[in-house]
Amino acid sequence: DSTYRLRVLEEEKFKDTERLQEECTLFGQKILNFQDTVQKLIEGMNKYAGRIEAAKLKALGQRNRVESEKEVRRRKVAELQSLVNEKKAVLERLQQQYESLKKVDQEQKAIIERLNNNEA
């Protein structure tokens, strides 16, 4: 060749081969960089997936808590309504008893008044 070296390949093909080798090395480095980037992306996605799953579980828990709170409130309302009904029944009974005692009192006063009028 022009540099007086003994070559198996022609000088032009040898240079093409060296250039191809450099391009292959560069391509390999780019592939490694790409794999690293993809790995980082996957790790980031997994991290966000974990956060999303945690938020989802939290939301489900809160929804269940709200539903159970509705049930608790419904029971409490029923319990309080029952208590109000009981108190109304007691009030009505006491009012009837009061009216009865009031009538007895009036009758007794009338008897006392008649007795006082008879004695006089």
Side-chain angles (χ1 to χ4, degrees):
D1 71 358
S2 61
T3 57
Y4 302 104
R5 291 188 173 174
L6 184 60
R7 298 194 184 263
V8 176
L9 293 174
E10 296 176 18
E11 187 177 350
E12 192 61 37
K13 286 185 179 182
F14 180 74
K15 288 180 181 178
D16 288 343
T17 304
E18 284 182 331
R19 194 180 78 247
L20 181 61
Q21 182 182 4
E22 289 173 9
E23 288 176 6
C24 286
T25 303
L26 184 62
F27 180 74
Q29 290 173 349
K30 287 181 180 180
I31 291 292
L32 290 175
N33 287 339
F34 179 72
Q35 286 177 337
D36 186 46
T37 302
V38 168
Q39 183 63 33
K40 287 178 183 177
L41 177 66
I42 290 172
E43 288 172 1
M45 295 297 277
N46 287 337
K47 179 179 164 185
Y48 286 118
R51 287 182 183 174
I52 289 170
E53 190 64 29
K56 181 177 159 184
L57 291 174
K58 185 178 178 182
L60 285 172
Q62 288 176 343
R63 184 178 71 185
N64 290 341
R65 193 176 319 136
V66 165
E67 288 175 3
S68 70
E69 184 64 29
K70 286 179 184 178
E71 181 64 24
V72 167
R73 286 183 182 183
R74 187 190 62 74
R75 287 182 188 162
K76 187 70 173 176
V77 165
E79 180 182 317
L80 291 174
Q81 188 62 45
S82 174
L83 187 60
V84 165
N85 291 339
E86 287 177 25
K87 296 295 181 182
K88 282 183 179 179
V90 169
L91 176 64
E92 189 173 323
R93 184 180 56 81
L94 289 175
Q95 285 175 335
Q96 289 174 353
Q97 188 177 5
Y98 173 73
E99 290 299 321
S100 174
L101 290 174
K102 197 167 140 183
K103 190 184 274 186
V104 169
D105 183 50
Q106 288 174 352
E107 289 173 359
Q108 287 177 351
K109 284 182 181 179
I111 292 173
I112 291 173
E113 185 64 33
R114 274 188 296 169
L115 290 174
N116 283 338
N117 285 343
N118 286 340
E119 288 180 1

